[in-house]
Amino acid sequence: MTISITAPTVSAHTDAFLKRKHKLYIDGEWVDGVSGEMIDVIDPATGKVISQSTAGVAADVDKAVTAARAAFETGPWSKMTGLQRGKLISKLACRLEELADELAEIEAIDCGKPVTYAKYVDVGLSANIYHYMAGWASKVSGETVSLANPGEYHAFTMREPVGVVAAITPWNFPLVLTAYKLAPLLAVGCTAILKPSELTPLSTLRFVEILEEVGFPPGVVNVITGYGVPAGAALVEHDGVDKVAFTGSVETGRRIAAAATGNLKRVTLELGGKSPMIVFPDADLDRAIPGLASAIFFHQGQVCTAGTRLYVHKSIHDKVVEGIAAESRKLKIGHGLNLDTTMGPLISSAQLQKVMGFLDQGKAEGAETVIGGGRVGDTGFFMEPTILANTKDTMSVVREEIFGPVLCAQAYDDDDLDVIAAKANDTIFGLAASVWTRDISVAHKMARRIKAGSVWINAHNFYDPALPFGGFKQSGWGREEGSEAIRTFTEVKSICAVL
């Protein structure tokens, strides 16, 4: 692997954006926070401060919720038809595509991801989500119901927007995970308060400038930057919020679920993962090995669906592990703004230390380091892509979500699909999995046996706006994307008239 950590110069428009005083966005206005406190935004590739955002507090949240409530109930947004909302969402999607280079640059320096990936994955997928959901805006409807009771009735259902939504997103994919929530809630007519991670607020702030530019009415989308406590907690506990849509850790998800009981607000949670990748002896290794390497090393393993547990048939185990190690050596570690970078830093010093702590635990429990395992340089938060072999299901590195570029490999020698599936399912998580085989019958049988919200065959980390996304077990509640997202942001009303 090659290393190039030198930070390139950002473009003039990004430089100007970074130097702004980033305020809160409430009711169509950029306003100072009540506390006056600012939060340093760090470039994870250099460890240096690149910008500042406002530390919102409960009083700011109150203002944002009031604005969102007014826009939902009495503002022009409440009077728009679905087709009108859809046209506005489409306009936003087109503008994101036009500004892809600028948004990718901001996302790369804020999150530490390669700028090319940021452009085509983060911005590209986000724009597609808005395009897709724009089409749903004019198609939200109920159905006519034939009643069981005798008599003459006119009975039907309606789908109505759930109301004011708090959309709370993590630091790994700010633009994409905002789109997962915001696109469908806008399509059905809800309003929102966005709360990005304090580590990566910049692309969300720039996104809302674009949203304002294309003509969304005041109060429809508001942004509160700041820490989880007090800003995030105030949002979750607020009686004026009808629903929380959250992506993040299981721990925080539990706290949100508990806090939501105050007014029994609706909750969607997309939480952690420990995704298995099952490789059968007949797999096309020329296709599988690069795919398996990408599944764990893409965005430094900081992906909720990252393929972290590798189960390979013993007949090909060594060949597959050696092949993934060879793929990892091709990675070019460096600052995300370097065009040849294919692997950036971890998000923070704390995250780097957390991942290194897991590696120490793994070694102490008997795992063998095939490649990697160390920090790269003393600038920024880089670490080597790492493969651990001879892992066991009882090890902490196999059981807990590491959220770093660490692959845990083990061989299996059983041909019983139920036994193999039991190993894959031996986890508190159930977000995603992948199956690698040329036998289409085996592939679909295994997909049926795996307890996960997404199962990919001969691929990993495949996302599409039309596919529902979410987890089984402690990977969360509910689904985002596809028609399921429309359901999760609406309430069903039954109406019956006696004729």
PDB file of all heavy atoms in Angstrom, residues 275 305 429-433 450-456 467-473 475 478-479:
ATOM      1  N   SER A 275     -21.924  -7.566   9.989  1.00  0.00           N
ATOM      2  CA  SER A 275     -22.414  -8.315   8.833  1.00  0.00           C
ATOM      3  C   SER A 275     -21.516  -9.485   8.446  1.00  0.00           C
ATOM      4  O   SER A 275     -20.314  -9.313   8.229  1.00  0.00           O
ATOM      5  CB  SER A 275     -22.565  -7.370   7.639  1.00  0.00           C
ATOM      6  OG  SER A 275     -23.469  -6.332   7.953  1.00  0.00           O
ATOM      7  N   THR A 305     -23.027  -1.489   7.520  1.00  0.00           N
ATOM      8  CA  THR A 305     -23.193  -2.788   6.870  1.00  0.00           C
ATOM      9  C   THR A 305     -21.865  -3.426   6.472  1.00  0.00           C
ATOM     10  O   THR A 305     -21.849  -4.431   5.765  1.00  0.00           O
ATOM     11  CB  THR A 305     -24.053  -2.646   5.599  1.00  0.00           C
ATOM     12  OG1 THR A 305     -23.437  -1.685   4.731  1.00  0.00           O
ATOM     13  CG2 THR A 305     -25.468  -2.211   5.931  1.00  0.00           C
ATOM     14  N   PHE A 429     -26.881  -8.513  16.206  1.00  0.00           N
ATOM     15  CA  PHE A 429     -27.213  -7.649  15.078  1.00  0.00           C
ATOM     16  C   PHE A 429     -27.889  -8.427  13.952  1.00  0.00           C
ATOM     17  O   PHE A 429     -27.832  -9.657  13.903  1.00  0.00           O
ATOM     18  CB  PHE A 429     -25.950  -6.976  14.535  1.00  0.00           C
ATOM     19  CG  PHE A 429     -25.240  -6.113  15.542  1.00  0.00           C
ATOM     20  CD1 PHE A 429     -24.022  -6.499  16.091  1.00  0.00           C
ATOM     21  CD2 PHE A 429     -25.785  -4.916  15.948  1.00  0.00           C
ATOM     22  CE1 PHE A 429     -23.365  -5.703  17.024  1.00  0.00           C
ATOM     23  CE2 PHE A 429     -25.141  -4.105  16.874  1.00  0.00           C
ATOM     24  CZ  PHE A 429     -23.926  -4.511  17.417  1.00  0.00           C
ATOM     25  N   GLY A 430     -28.490  -7.686  13.029  1.00  0.00           N
ATOM     26  CA  GLY A 430     -29.102  -8.311  11.867  1.00  0.00           C
ATOM     27  C   GLY A 430     -29.357  -7.292  10.782  1.00  0.00           C
ATOM     28  O   GLY A 430     -30.471  -7.166  10.273  1.00  0.00           O
ATOM     29  N   LEU A 431     -28.310  -6.539  10.432  1.00  0.00           N
ATOM     30  CA  LEU A 431     -28.497  -5.465   9.457  1.00  0.00           C
ATOM     31  C   LEU A 431     -28.298  -5.950   8.026  1.00  0.00           C
ATOM     32  O   LEU A 431     -29.112  -5.679   7.147  1.00  0.00           O
ATOM     33  CB  LEU A 431     -27.538  -4.305   9.752  1.00  0.00           C
ATOM     34  CG  LEU A 431     -27.784  -3.025   8.954  1.00  0.00           C
ATOM     35  CD1 LEU A 431     -29.196  -2.501   9.173  1.00  0.00           C
ATOM     36  CD2 LEU A 431     -26.767  -1.951   9.333  1.00  0.00           C
ATOM     37  N   ALA A 432     -27.196  -6.652   7.763  1.00  0.00           N
ATOM     38  CA  ALA A 432     -26.904  -7.059   6.387  1.00  0.00           C
ATOM     39  C   ALA A 432     -26.039  -8.309   6.379  1.00  0.00           C
ATOM     40  O   ALA A 432     -25.466  -8.704   7.408  1.00  0.00           O
ATOM     41  CB  ALA A 432     -26.209  -5.928   5.627  1.00  0.00           C
ATOM     42  N   ALA A 433     -25.926  -8.920   5.204  1.00  0.00           N
ATOM     43  CA  ALA A 433     -25.093 -10.102   5.009  1.00  0.00           C
ATOM     44  C   ALA A 433     -24.881 -10.286   3.513  1.00  0.00           C
ATOM     45  O   ALA A 433     -25.620  -9.724   2.702  1.00  0.00           O
ATOM     46  CB  ALA A 433     -25.754 -11.344   5.600  1.00  0.00           C
ATOM     47  N   ILE A 450     -30.719 -16.482   6.610  1.00  0.00           N
ATOM     48  CA  ILE A 450     -29.998 -15.427   7.322  1.00  0.00           C
ATOM     49  C   ILE A 450     -30.981 -14.409   7.883  1.00  0.00           C
ATOM     50  O   ILE A 450     -31.876 -13.932   7.182  1.00  0.00           O
ATOM     51  CB  ILE A 450     -28.986 -14.742   6.382  1.00  0.00           C
ATOM     52  CG1 ILE A 450     -27.875 -15.726   6.014  1.00  0.00           C
ATOM     53  CG2 ILE A 450     -28.380 -13.503   7.050  1.00  0.00           C
ATOM     54  CD1 ILE A 450     -26.924 -15.198   4.962  1.00  0.00           C
ATOM     55  N   LYS A 451     -30.796 -14.064   9.142  1.00  0.00           N
ATOM     56  CA  LYS A 451     -31.666 -13.092   9.809  1.00  0.00           C
ATOM     57  C   LYS A 451     -31.047 -11.699   9.685  1.00  0.00           C
ATOM     58  O   LYS A 451     -30.288 -11.254  10.546  1.00  0.00           O
ATOM     59  CB  LYS A 451     -31.869 -13.482  11.268  1.00  0.00           C
ATOM     60  CG  LYS A 451     -32.658 -14.778  11.464  1.00  0.00           C
ATOM     61  CD  LYS A 451     -32.787 -15.117  12.929  1.00  0.00           C
ATOM     62  CE  LYS A 451     -33.754 -16.287  13.140  1.00  0.00           C
ATOM     63  NZ  LYS A 451     -33.285 -17.534  12.510  1.00  0.00           N
ATOM     64  N   ALA A 452     -31.347 -11.034   8.595  1.00  0.00           N
ATOM     65  CA  ALA A 452     -30.807  -9.688   8.344  1.00  0.00           C
ATOM     66  C   ALA A 452     -31.751  -8.940   7.423  1.00  0.00           C
ATOM     67  O   ALA A 452     -32.465  -9.550   6.618  1.00  0.00           O
ATOM     68  CB  ALA A 452     -29.416  -9.762   7.726  1.00  0.00           C
ATOM     69  N   GLY A 453     -31.738  -7.616   7.539  1.00  0.00           N
ATOM     70  CA  GLY A 453     -32.618  -6.788   6.730  1.00  0.00           C
ATOM     71  C   GLY A 453     -32.250  -6.744   5.263  1.00  0.00           C
ATOM     72  O   GLY A 453     -33.114  -6.545   4.412  1.00  0.00           O
ATOM     73  N   SER A 454     -30.965  -6.898   4.957  1.00  0.00           N
ATOM     74  CA  SER A 454     -30.493  -6.928   3.564  1.00  0.00           C
ATOM     75  C   SER A 454     -29.550  -8.111   3.393  1.00  0.00           C
ATOM     76  O   SER A 454     -28.622  -8.285   4.188  1.00  0.00           O
ATOM     77  CB  SER A 454     -29.739  -5.638   3.204  1.00  0.00           C
ATOM     78  OG  SER A 454     -30.592  -4.513   3.243  1.00  0.00           O
ATOM     79  N   VAL A 455     -29.807  -8.917   2.371  1.00  0.00           N
ATOM     80  CA  VAL A 455     -28.899 -10.011   2.027  1.00  0.00           C
ATOM     81  C   VAL A 455     -28.533  -9.857   0.564  1.00  0.00           C
ATOM     82  O   VAL A 455     -29.405  -9.833  -0.310  1.00  0.00           O
ATOM     83  CB  VAL A 455     -29.539 -11.394   2.263  1.00  0.00           C
ATOM     84  CG1 VAL A 455     -28.543 -12.492   1.894  1.00  0.00           C
ATOM     85  CG2 VAL A 455     -29.975 -11.547   3.723  1.00  0.00           C
ATOM     86  N   TRP A 456     -27.249  -9.720   0.305  1.00  0.00           N
ATOM     87  CA  TRP A 456     -26.757  -9.546  -1.060  1.00  0.00           C
ATOM     88  C   TRP A 456     -26.112 -10.835  -1.545  1.00  0.00           C
ATOM     89  O   TRP A 456     -25.419 -11.528  -0.790  1.00  0.00           O
ATOM     90  CB  TRP A 456     -25.741  -8.408  -1.110  1.00  0.00           C
ATOM     91  CG  TRP A 456     -26.321  -7.085  -0.697  1.00  0.00           C
ATOM     92  CD1 TRP A 456     -27.328  -6.397  -1.299  1.00  0.00           C
ATOM     93  CD2 TRP A 456     -25.922  -6.285   0.433  1.00  0.00           C
ATOM     94  NE1 TRP A 456     -27.575  -5.213  -0.632  1.00  0.00           N
ATOM     95  CE2 TRP A 456     -26.729  -5.114   0.438  1.00  0.00           C
ATOM     96  CE3 TRP A 456     -24.957  -6.423   1.437  1.00  0.00           C
ATOM     97  CZ2 TRP A 456     -26.609  -4.105   1.395  1.00  0.00           C
ATOM     98  CZ3 TRP A 456     -24.831  -5.426   2.397  1.00  0.00           C
ATOM     99  CH2 TRP A 456     -25.645  -4.281   2.382  1.00  0.00           C
ATOM    100  N   LEU A 467     -35.021  -0.062  -2.693  1.00  0.00           N
ATOM    101  CA  LEU A 467     -34.915  -1.208  -1.791  1.00  0.00           C
ATOM    102  C   LEU A 467     -35.067  -0.772  -0.335  1.00  0.00           C
ATOM    103  O   LEU A 467     -34.294   0.066   0.138  1.00  0.00           O
ATOM    104  CB  LEU A 467     -33.567  -1.903  -1.964  1.00  0.00           C
ATOM    105  CG  LEU A 467     -33.404  -2.828  -3.166  1.00  0.00           C
ATOM    106  CD1 LEU A 467     -31.955  -3.280  -3.275  1.00  0.00           C
ATOM    107  CD2 LEU A 467     -34.331  -4.034  -3.045  1.00  0.00           C
ATOM    108  N   PRO A 468     -36.012  -1.347   0.409  1.00  0.00           N
ATOM    109  CA  PRO A 468     -36.124  -1.018   1.835  1.00  0.00           C
ATOM    110  C   PRO A 468     -34.831  -1.365   2.562  1.00  0.00           C
ATOM    111  O   PRO A 468     -34.180  -2.369   2.258  1.00  0.00           O
ATOM    112  CB  PRO A 468     -37.278  -1.906   2.309  1.00  0.00           C
ATOM    113  CG  PRO A 468     -38.067  -2.202   1.083  1.00  0.00           C
ATOM    114  CD  PRO A 468     -37.062  -2.273  -0.029  1.00  0.00           C
ATOM    115  N   PHE A 469     -34.476  -0.532   3.552  1.00  0.00           N
ATOM    116  CA  PHE A 469     -33.227  -0.733   4.285  1.00  0.00           C
ATOM    117  C   PHE A 469     -33.476  -0.603   5.781  1.00  0.00           C
ATOM    118  O   PHE A 469     -34.108   0.350   6.243  1.00  0.00           O
ATOM    119  CB  PHE A 469     -32.186   0.314   3.844  1.00  0.00           C
ATOM    120  CG  PHE A 469     -30.869   0.174   4.559  1.00  0.00           C
ATOM    121  CD1 PHE A 469     -30.007  -0.858   4.242  1.00  0.00           C
ATOM    122  CD2 PHE A 469     -30.511   1.057   5.561  1.00  0.00           C
ATOM    123  CE1 PHE A 469     -28.801  -1.003   4.907  1.00  0.00           C
ATOM    124  CE2 PHE A 469     -29.304   0.927   6.231  1.00  0.00           C
ATOM    125  CZ  PHE A 469     -28.446  -0.105   5.908  1.00  0.00           C
ATOM    126  N   GLY A 470     -32.984  -1.562   6.533  1.00  0.00           N
ATOM    127  CA  GLY A 470     -33.117  -1.556   7.979  1.00  0.00           C
ATOM    128  C   GLY A 470     -32.736  -2.916   8.518  1.00  0.00           C
ATOM    129  O   GLY A 470     -32.333  -3.805   7.764  1.00  0.00           O
ATOM    130  N   GLY A 471     -32.836  -3.079   9.841  1.00  0.00           N
ATOM    131  CA  GLY A 471     -32.276  -4.272  10.434  1.00  0.00           C
ATOM    132  C   GLY A 471     -33.217  -5.123  11.242  1.00  0.00           C
ATOM    133  O   GLY A 471     -34.270  -4.665  11.710  1.00  0.00           O
ATOM    134  N   PHE A 472     -32.825  -6.382  11.430  1.00  0.00           N
ATOM    135  CA  PHE A 472     -33.460  -7.291  12.369  1.00  0.00           C
ATOM    136  C   PHE A 472     -32.796  -7.097  13.735  1.00  0.00           C
ATOM    137  O   PHE A 472     -31.780  -6.451  13.876  1.00  0.00           O
ATOM    138  CB  PHE A 472     -33.244  -8.749  11.944  1.00  0.00           C
ATOM    139  CG  PHE A 472     -34.039  -9.214  10.754  1.00  0.00           C
ATOM    140  CD1 PHE A 472     -34.566  -8.332   9.827  1.00  0.00           C
ATOM    141  CD2 PHE A 472     -34.240 -10.571  10.541  1.00  0.00           C
ATOM    142  CE1 PHE A 472     -35.276  -8.769   8.733  1.00  0.00           C
ATOM    143  CE2 PHE A 472     -34.943 -11.030   9.454  1.00  0.00           C
ATOM    144  CZ  PHE A 472     -35.472 -10.130   8.543  1.00  0.00           C
ATOM    145  N   LYS A 473     -33.398  -7.690  14.746  1.00  0.00           N
ATOM    146  CA  LYS A 473     -32.818  -7.747  16.098  1.00  0.00           C
ATOM    147  C   LYS A 473     -32.382  -6.368  16.581  1.00  0.00           C
ATOM    148  O   LYS A 473     -33.113  -5.379  16.411  1.00  0.00           O
ATOM    149  CB  LYS A 473     -31.685  -8.778  16.138  1.00  0.00           C
ATOM    150  CG  LYS A 473     -32.171 -10.195  15.805  1.00  0.00           C
ATOM    151  CD  LYS A 473     -31.104 -11.247  15.983  1.00  0.00           C
ATOM    152  CE  LYS A 473     -30.207 -11.382  14.805  1.00  0.00           C
ATOM    153  NZ  LYS A 473     -29.272 -12.511  14.922  1.00  0.00           N
ATOM    154  N   SER A 475     -30.318  -4.370  15.407  1.00  0.00           N
ATOM    155  CA  SER A 475     -29.912  -3.443  14.351  1.00  0.00           C
ATOM    156  C   SER A 475     -30.976  -2.398  14.064  1.00  0.00           C
ATOM    157  O   SER A 475     -30.770  -1.530  13.220  1.00  0.00           O
ATOM    158  CB  SER A 475     -29.570  -4.205  13.065  1.00  0.00           C
ATOM    159  OG  SER A 475     -28.308  -4.838  13.188  1.00  0.00           O
ATOM    160  N   GLY A 478     -37.931  -0.607  12.101  1.00  0.00           N
ATOM    161  CA  GLY A 478     -38.473   0.049  10.921  1.00  0.00           C
ATOM    162  C   GLY A 478     -37.552  -0.026   9.715  1.00  0.00           C
ATOM    163  O   GLY A 478     -36.477  -0.630   9.751  1.00  0.00           O
ATOM    164  N   ARG A 479     -37.992   0.611   8.643  1.00  0.00           N
ATOM    165  CA  ARG A 479     -37.250   0.593   7.392  1.00  0.00           C
ATOM    166  C   ARG A 479     -37.189   1.990   6.779  1.00  0.00           C
ATOM    167  O   ARG A 479     -38.119   2.795   6.918  1.00  0.00           O
ATOM    168  CB  ARG A 479     -37.901  -0.363   6.379  1.00  0.00           C
ATOM    169  CG  ARG A 479     -37.832  -1.835   6.768  1.00  0.00           C
ATOM    170  CD  ARG A 479     -36.394  -2.334   6.764  1.00  0.00           C
ATOM    171  NE  ARG A 479     -36.297  -3.753   7.115  1.00  0.00           N
ATOM    172  CZ  ARG A 479     -36.158  -4.210   8.357  1.00  0.00           C
ATOM    173  NH1 ARG A 479     -36.129  -3.353   9.375  1.00  0.00           N
ATOM    174  NH2 ARG A 479     -36.052  -5.499   8.590  1.00  0.00           N
TER     175      ARG A 479
END
